[in-house]
Amino acid sequence: MADQTDPRLDALFGRLQTTADARDAAVATNLIWAIWHESDDDRINELMRRGLAHMSARDYPAAVQTFGEMIDLKPDFAEAWNKRATVYYLMGDYRASVLDIDKTLELEPRHFGALSGLGLIMVAMGNEEAAISAFEATLAVHPFAEGARQNLETLRERQKKRSL
């Protein structure tokens, strides 16, 4: 079994919470992503590969369609929702992206990629408080998420300067 329900995830998330070693955290992170990307359905795995190829080629409409096919076939596969959310974000369709992030987090509340993505969307939309909350939630799940940490520090500095 490989997806957000994989029993190996609990131990990997535990490692993220307890390790003091950035390299160990990176290994755990890579394993989590690998598990999230895999399904027990070969058709879903092929669609994931195709969708990722469309994303790499910046063929966003084809990526949206491919990830949508995955969602239609396996609506409980969190990474399909997350990948489509990412494509919508890249297209500037923040509303659609947030809807897919919400579904991703419903299926996998620990999805640090979706949480961080939500923070980026909130920054882009000018909602700094919501962005701060999203980045804090990211770091609560994944203390080594440096992008989230840097974004959070930037937002807090910005707030501090405005309050002076």
Side-chain angles (χ1 to χ4, degrees):
M1 180 184 345
D3 64 15
Q4 75 277 358
T5 63
D6 191 302
R8 296 174 292 173
L9 289 169
D10 290 338
L12 291 168
F13 277 102
R15 267 173 71 183
L16 288 178
Q17 294 296 315
T18 59
T19 188
D21 180 31
R23 283 186 295 197
D24 186 42
V27 169
T29 300
N30 289 337
L31 290 170
I32 290 167
W33 279 113
I35 291 168
W36 280 343
H37 276 89
E38 288 295 321
S39 168
D40 56 1
D41 182 326
D42 290 339
R43 174 80 176 127
I44 296 298
N45 292 330
E46 174 55 32
L47 288 168
M48 177 64 80
R49 284 188 286 281
R50 193 175 335 145
L52 292 171
H54 291 312
M55 282 178 73
S56 292
R58 292 192 169 106
D59 186 354
Y60 299 140
V64 166
Q65 181 179 353
T66 302
F67 294 129
E69 279 182 60
M70 288 174 65
I71 290 165
D72 290 342
L73 291 170
K74 193 168 181 177
D76 62 342
F77 187 45
E79 196 55 29
W81 293 95
N82 182 60
K83 286 295 183 266
R84 192 172 71 175
T86 301
V87 176
Y88 282 138
Y89 170 78
L90 293 169
M91 296 171 70
D93 188 345
Y94 300 143
R95 183 181 174 280
S97 185
V98 168
L99 291 173
D100 281 2
I101 287 170
D102 288 346
K103 186 63 178 179
T104 302
L105 294 172
E106 177 186 317
L107 294 166
E108 174 52 280
R110 304 171 295 189
H111 202 299
F112 48 81
L115 289 164
S116 185
L118 182 60
L120 293 174
I121 291 169
M122 292 300 110
V123 168
M125 295 175 68
N127 188 341
E128 289 186 1
E129 289 301 321
I132 287 170
S133 293
F135 293 132
E136 288 173 340
T138 304
L139 292 167
V141 172
H142 189 329
F144 289 85
E146 286 309 309
R149 183 174 313 289
Q150 291 170 0
N151 286 319
L152 182 59
E153 288 172 7
T154 298
L155 289 168
R156 286 183 174 155
E157 272 300 309
R158 199 180 299 165
Q159 284 185 332
K160 190 175 176 182
K161 286 179 183 176
R162 279 198 302 261
S163 69
L164 294 177

